Amino acid sequence: MNGINQEDTHRIIERVARESYGRLVAYLSANTRDVASAEDALSNALVAALTAWPRDGVPQNPEAWLLTAARHSFIDQVRHRKVAEASEPTLLLLRENSMEMALSAEFPDERLKLLFVCAHPAIDPATHTPLMLQTVLGLDAVRIAHAFLVSPTTMGQRLVRAKTKIRSGGIQFEVPQERELPQRLDAVLEAIYAAFGIGWDDMAGVDQRGRDLSEEAVWLGRVLLELMPGEAEVRGLLALMLHCEARRRARRGPDGRYIPLSEQDSQQWSMPLIEEAEGHLAEAASRGRTGRFQLEAAIQSVHAERARSGRTEWTAVALFYEQLIRISPTLGTRIGYAAAVAEASGPEAGLTVLDGIDPEDVSVYQPYWAVRAHLLQRLGKTSEAVDAFDRAIGLAEDPAVRQFLIKRRG
């Protein structure tokens, strides 16, 4: 593909990297058993593409080009380590697969395997989800750190330690045996949900990066269901994501204006996605093993019912949140519970729930201040409401959400 300028070529490289990073790292890791070196090799391939593609044109199959370049880089890395005897198995694996990789336009997707590798019990559990987000989905340490409310430096150090553990510990790149899957499942579910949440938060209506990440998470949820169809929480997670996806079009107005759930036009929600979500949730409930993701999906199911009945059963939402808090007392869960209680029993009751949260835990947590501002405003406590709105506005990263809050404050 010739006849495009350098700026266009760089945009194509950025898009290919975003869409294919996890798939290519997973494929390289499957054939080399070395995640960190696979990432280094792919980085070198992307740098090479920045030089070669503007000069020679974008190849017909960009993924195949990057994979071949990364494979060559990987071989060079192994040779330069001056441990030929120890590295010979890796070189053989690469050579054995080189012809197949060069000729194939379709690449086997090994991401699910890599998710389970990252959930290996020998790796620090606190690092499981961040490692999956970076290695499988290609997110950088800054983006991951923001989601986990830690500094990029701290997150970067954790990730480096985890990858070193994989390499030095000889952790094999393979899906665990069936009996080992359940002990790693929770970490995999958390990572898929975290990816969906990051993409959902970034999705300002037209942001393709957020859309891609959310869709990737849903796809991984479907693949995981094929692997473990009997696990209720797998179906619960998929139901939760599908319920959220069903409301994608209604989240923003034609002008990009943010629309909160309570004000969305339910006629814009996707009924096929809602029905699919309901089917998964019903099947999960029949297993008799209620878990966090099933409860979160049940909350979204109550909201979805508004498309049929025209109203939201807030008492049911609050009850589901009560159960969820017993399993997962996260900040998000407790604030969601406060909002539901306020709708079911009045703003004073909701504010009481918020007052029970340690102020240090929510000092920079934007949803807390947005809900608090709303409840104070409903109670007519104007001065306090304005202060809370100011905190929420200052912490809001999405410009549309910020404008929504400014309008509400005014």
Side-chain angles (χ1 to χ4, degrees):
M1 184 194 303
N2 292 301
I4 59 175
N5 60 39
Q6 185 171 10
E7 183 178 347
D8 289 338
T9 304
H10 285 182
R11 277 199 293 266
I12 291 172
I13 294 171
E14 181 182 355
R15 176 181 57 78
V16 173
R18 185 176 65 245
E19 294 175 354
S20 306
Y21 184 92
R23 182 161 50 249
L24 293 176
V25 168
Y27 191 82
L28 286 165
S29 301
N31 287 277
T32 62
R33 281 72 169 176
D34 188 338
V35 175
S37 294
E39 289 189 315
D40 291 342
L42 182 55
S43 295
N44 291 337
L46 289 168
V47 171
L50 288 171
T51 301
W53 293 9
R55 182 189 67 228
D56 304 330
V58 178
Q60 184 175 3
N61 190 325
E63 276 194 345
W65 192 99
L66 288 172
L67 188 58
T68 300
R71 178 172 53 80
H72 291 157
S73 174
F74 207 119
I75 290 174
D76 288 341
Q77 288 180 44
V78 174
R79 285 173 174 159
H80 288 133
R81 286 174 189 162
K82 297 180 180 180
V83 285
E85 184 177 350
S87 300
E88 191 62 25
T90 296
L91 289 170
L92 288 174
L93 278 167
L94 288 165
R95 288 171 184 151
E96 288 169 2
N97 287 280
S98 62
M99 185 60 68
E100 178 186 348
M101 287 190 286
L103 296 177
S104 176
E106 299 293 333
F107 302 100
D109 200 319
E110 300 284 346
R111 281 170 290 184
L112 190 61
K113 288 184 180 181
L114 192 51
L115 285 175
F116 278 99
V117 169
C118 294
H120 195 287
I123 301 171
D124 179 7
T127 314
H128 284 162
T129 295
L131 183 62
M132 294 179 204
L133 292 174
Q134 186 181 68
T135 304
V136 182
L137 292 163
L139 301 183
D140 59 39
V142 173
R143 203 172 179 192
I144 298 169
H146 176 73
F148 284 82
L149 304 179
V150 300
S151 72
T153 300
T154 298
M155 182 57 67
Q157 291 171 345
R158 291 179 185 175
L159 290 166
V160 169
R161 285 196 298 268
K163 291 173 187 177
T164 301
K165 180 74 173 181
I166 291 175
R167 182 165 52 195
S168 62
I171 297 173
Q172 293 297 303
F173 184 98
E174 59 187 7
V175 174
Q177 296 182 14
E178 187 174 355
R179 67 176 184 276
E180 299 175 299
L181 291 178
Q183 71 184 45
R184 302 192 190 188
L185 177 60
D186 285 348
V188 172
L189 291 172
E190 289 290 344
I192 293 175
Y193 186 48
F196 182 84
I198 292 172
W200 190 249
D201 289 342
D202 282 353
M203 194 174 61
V206 295
D207 187 342
Q208 187 60 41
R209 291 172 300 174
R211 183 185 297 263
D212 288 344
L213 190 56
S214 295
E215 291 177 350
E216 186 80 351
V218 172
W219 182 88
L220 285 169
R222 294 187 189 282
V223 174
L224 184 58
L225 181 59
E226 291 179 13
L227 179 67
M228 306 179 74
E231 289 290 339
E233 277 292 81
V234 175
R235 290 188 183 274
L237 174 59
L238 185 54
L240 170 59
M241 294 189 294
L242 290 173
H243 267 307
C244 293
E245 281 292 290
R247 299 196 293 266
R248 180 197 292 270
R249 288 186 304 166
R251 295 182 69 205
R252 306 283 163 155
D255 56 355
R257 175 176 53 90
Y258 169 72
I259 304 175
L261 174 58
S262 60
E263 298 177 17
Q264 289 175 13
D265 178 4
S266 62
Q267 298 307 304
Q268 292 189 45
W269 296 348
S270 169
M271 290 310 297
L273 287 180
I274 289 174
E275 289 169 1
E276 182 185 356
E278 290 295 289
H280 288 303
L281 187 55
E283 178 63 27
S286 71
R287 305 283 175 176
R289 298 189 301 274
T290 302
R292 169 195 169 189
F293 293 113
Q294 293 170 71
L295 288 170
E296 292 201 32
I299 291 169
Q300 299 308 319
S301 176
V302 177
H303 284 299
E305 185 61 27
R306 179 160 69 85
R308 299 185 179 90
S309 68
R311 59 194 177 89
T312 301
E313 294 289 348
W314 286 106
T315 300
V317 173
L319 287 173
F320 280 129
Y321 267 119
E322 282 184 7
Q323 296 178 57
L324 184 57
I325 286 174
R326 296 189 188 103
I327 297 174
S328 177
T330 64
L331 271 181
T333 299
R334 296 170 71 184
I335 290 164
Y337 174 59
V341 167
E343 294 294 336
S345 306
E348 284 190 357
L351 202 58
T352 299
V353 176
L354 290 182
D355 287 341
I357 301 174
D358 188 336
E360 291 187 7
D361 293 340
V362 295
S363 62
V364 294
Y365 193 64
Q366 195 271 348
Y368 170 88
W369 294 103
V371 172
R372 187 174 188 85
H374 175 62
L375 299 186
L376 288 167
Q377 189 176 58
R378 286 178 60 186
L379 289 168
K381 298 182 178 182
T382 306
S383 177
E384 293 177 64
V386 167
D387 289 342
F389 269 120
D390 286 342
R391 293 284 291 271
I393 291 166
L395 292 167
E397 296 189 347
D398 186 331
V401 172
R402 191 179 305 119
Q403 285 302 121
F404 169 81
L405 292 170
I406 289 172
K407 184 176 179 180
R408 281 291 171 92
R409 179 188 62 182

